[in-house]
Amino acid sequence: MKNFVFISPNFPETYWRFCRGLKDNGFNVLGIGDAPYYELSEPLKKSLTEYYKVNSLENYDEVFRAVAFFTFRYGKIDWLESNNEYWLERDAALRTEFNITTGFQSKDMPKVKYKSKMKEYYKKAGIKVAKHCNASTISVCKRLINKVGYPVIVKPDNGVGANATYKISSDEELKAFLKNKPDGVPYIVEEYIEGEVNSYDAIVNSKGQPIFETGNVTPDSLMDVVNNGDNSVFYIVNQPFEDVRAAGRKVLKAFGVKSRFVHFEFFRLTRDQRIGKKGDVVALEVNMRPSGGISPDMMNFANSTDVYKIWADMIAYDSTLKDCGEKYFCVFVGRRDGKEYRYCEQEIVEKYGANIKLLGRVAKALSDAMGDLMFIANFSDKGAMDAFVADVVAPAAQ
């Protein structure tokens, strides 16, 4: 029996389904987390062979000792994964130390975690990338700005999503940012691109071949959603866009991705710009894990399938027999606490109850990017989906 160490199997909440898929495929599923055992959901408990609680997942020594204990008790660890961006480097370090060869090692991290390094591999794939520089001094930044103009984007070189990402529109704002940016955190400055985010999402086998593909669209800037507390909207497409699929497959090859669930982000330009023409697909960033939060469940709703099982089948068999069924647009709308809306929750449910798949609170750790109250719904027609979004986010009459 093979041994799979799953880091933080209780977060996001739905990740217990990855563990269930592994157990159903005959693995010892060994969980490591900082939540007390009694707080784990019953389905997760039933999916784990054993659980090791640490005081903090941030404490590498504690997590190292947990993996060592499992190695002593069950033998060599065959796989170790969290499927979580936050722990990607930690996962790689543990694999490296315990000679777990079925995933990224520490030496692989720069190209998949640093936005500046990602650009080299996007270029290798033939995908256009935004011009950038290190946010080190005003003179370095100005050399870039003299080429691309204001506004520009500043973001952590090694960051998650749109956290601590800002638009800079003047020399005064740039000087203020450089003066106040956190010490010891490398930032990059990047030309501003107007576009909607289109993603390529895939489960990839050990040969680098996708065994499942889909994609999502984020119409509004995630940076603005986070910084301005806007409503959050994104949707899974009913069919992957062919140009995004083609770009995604090229990026898989350029990065040498194997045996992973991935989420690659691209901009589709909404107007002609220095980097390309309206409609062109250009690089944003790679994420070597599933799209965040509830997205895997949305992929299931959109494709009438089970991506948790497809992923577990990839781990166990390097393929899957799980098919997709009827296709839908599956949309997420996240409302903000403290905002007043035209229609209350009950009115939305009464009008769209047949379409709504999930309704509930967003986990606090994800609420900056995803809002506080989520509505997830399926639609066969994009126009009907757009009408639903308009109703959910419509502000109260003034």
Side-chain angles (χ1 to χ4, degrees):
M1 182 176 289
K2 290 191 174 183
N3 300 315
F4 194 111
V5 171
F6 206 107
I7 306 292
S8 190
N10 59 309
F11 185 83
E13 184 179 343
T14 57
Y15 275 23
W16 69 267
R17 294 187 173 95
F18 285 123
C19 298
R20 179 183 64 185
L22 292 169
K23 181 183 179 183
D24 289 346
N25 285 346
F27 278 79
N28 275 328
V29 187
L30 309 169
I32 300 174
D34 53 15
Y37 182 75
Y38 68 82
E39 290 185 0
L40 304 184
S41 68
E42 287 304 314
L44 176 55
K45 289 178 182 177
K46 291 177 181 177
S47 302
L48 297 176
T49 304
E50 189 168 351
Y51 179 72
Y52 190 113
K53 180 191 176 302
V54 295
N55 291 319
S56 172
L57 285 170
E58 301 279 0
N59 187 321
Y60 182 80
D61 289 341
E62 275 196 283
V63 180
F64 180 93
R65 287 195 295 271
V67 179
F69 170 78
F70 283 146
T71 302
F72 172 78
R73 182 156 184 171
Y74 295 97
K76 178 168 171 50
I77 305 302
D78 300 286
W79 294 81
L80 183 147
E81 186 59 77
S82 66
N83 277 339
N84 193 309
E85 182 77 22
Y86 191 78
W87 303 118
L88 207 63
E89 290 171 288
R90 171 66 49 83
D91 295 347
L94 290 166
R95 289 192 206 99
T96 301
E97 293 220 56
F98 285 92
N99 193 30
I100 303 166
T101 59
T102 49
F104 286 125
Q105 307 293 298
S106 291
K107 64 180 174 61
D108 300 314
M109 284 297 97
K111 71 179 182 182
V112 301
K113 285 294 292 178
Y114 286 88
K115 294 176 174 62
S116 57
K117 297 293 185 183
M118 293 175 189
K119 293 176 183 291
E120 300 172 18
Y121 291 85
Y122 269 119
K123 289 179 182 177
K124 184 178 176 182
I127 312 297
K128 293 179 180 178
V129 301
K131 288 185 178 296
H132 80 288
C133 68
N134 295 324
S136 52
T137 65
I138 187 73
S139 60
V140 169
C141 296
K142 286 292 291 181
R143 279 199 293 272
L144 173 71
I145 294 166
N146 288 338
K147 295 177 183 177
V148 302
Y150 283 115
V152 292
I153 299 296
V154 293
K155 60 177 73 172
D157 198 6
N158 181 4
V160 179
N163 290 327
T165 297
Y166 310 102
K167 184 194 291 187
I168 300 291
S169 299
S170 67
D171 286 356
E172 291 71 26
E173 290 180 6
L174 177 62
K175 290 174 184 176
F177 167 76
L178 291 172
K179 180 180 178 181
N180 297 311
K181 72 182 180 71
D183 291 335
V185 179
Y187 270 76
I188 63 171
V189 180
E190 192 173 76
E191 70 177 300
Y192 180 73
I193 294 176
E194 289 190 28
E196 68 174 16
V197 176
N198 287 197
S199 78
Y200 172 79
D201 298 82
I203 299 172
V204 185
N205 68 14
S206 67
K207 302 176 184 65
Q209 301 165 338
I211 62 173
F212 170 80
E213 295 172 300
T214 187
N216 71 43
V217 172
T218 305
D220 301 317
S221 163
L222 183 58
M223 177 183 64
D224 292 339
V225 170
V226 173
N227 293 338
N228 302 334
D230 293 341
N231 299 307
S232 178
V233 178
F234 70 94
Y235 61 92
I236 309 296
V237 295
N238 64 341
Q239 294 287 346
F241 299 125
E242 283 304 318
D243 53 357
V244 176
R245 189 206 304 260
R249 289 181 175 180
K250 290 177 182 176
V251 174
L252 282 178
K253 185 175 181 181
F255 278 85
V257 179
K258 297 178 180 178
S259 303
R260 295 201 69 78
F261 206 142
V262 299
H263 172 66
F264 297 161
E265 294 177 342
F266 302 88
F267 278 121
R268 185 179 297 281
L269 302 184
T270 51
R271 65 172 180 84
D272 292 354
Q273 294 160 71
R274 184 208 65 81
I275 197 171
K277 300 292 186 181
K278 181 179 178 180
D280 286 354
V281 171
V282 302
L284 178 50
E285 64 181 56
V286 298
N287 299 278
M288 299 297 180
R289 42 76 180 171
S291 181
I294 201 73
S295 295
D297 295 80
M298 292 175 61
M299 294 175 193
N300 288 344
F301 298 144
N303 293 279
S304 304
T305 192
D306 184 349
V307 298
Y308 300 102
K309 175 168 175 51
I310 295 172
W311 176 84
D313 287 351
M314 177 273 293
I315 296 294
Y317 313 121
D318 212 28
S319 63
T320 186
L321 297 177
K322 182 66 179 175
D323 291 327
C324 293
E326 191 170 354
K327 305 282 188 166
Y328 299 93
F329 295 93
C330 184
V331 65
F332 175 102
V333 186
R335 283 182 167 182
R336 295 289 180 180
D337 291 346
K339 287 191 173 183
E340 295 186 0
Y341 295 90
R342 182 181 303 170
Y343 303 108
C344 70
E345 180 181 331
Q346 185 57 39
E347 288 173 311
I348 297 295
V349 171
E350 288 174 358
K351 185 172 182 179
Y352 294 103
N355 302 92
I356 292 174
K357 308 297 288 186
L358 284 175
L359 189 160
R361 301 292 297 177
V362 176
K364 186 64 178 174
L366 302 173
S367 62
D368 283 353
M370 303 185 74
D372 301 296
L373 178 67
M374 66 177 177
F375 298 79
I376 294 176
N378 259 16
F379 295 90
S380 298
D381 176 74
K382 185 176 182 298
M385 180 192 75
D386 291 340
F388 168 77
V389 172
D391 280 347
V392 175
V393 302
Q398 297 299 315

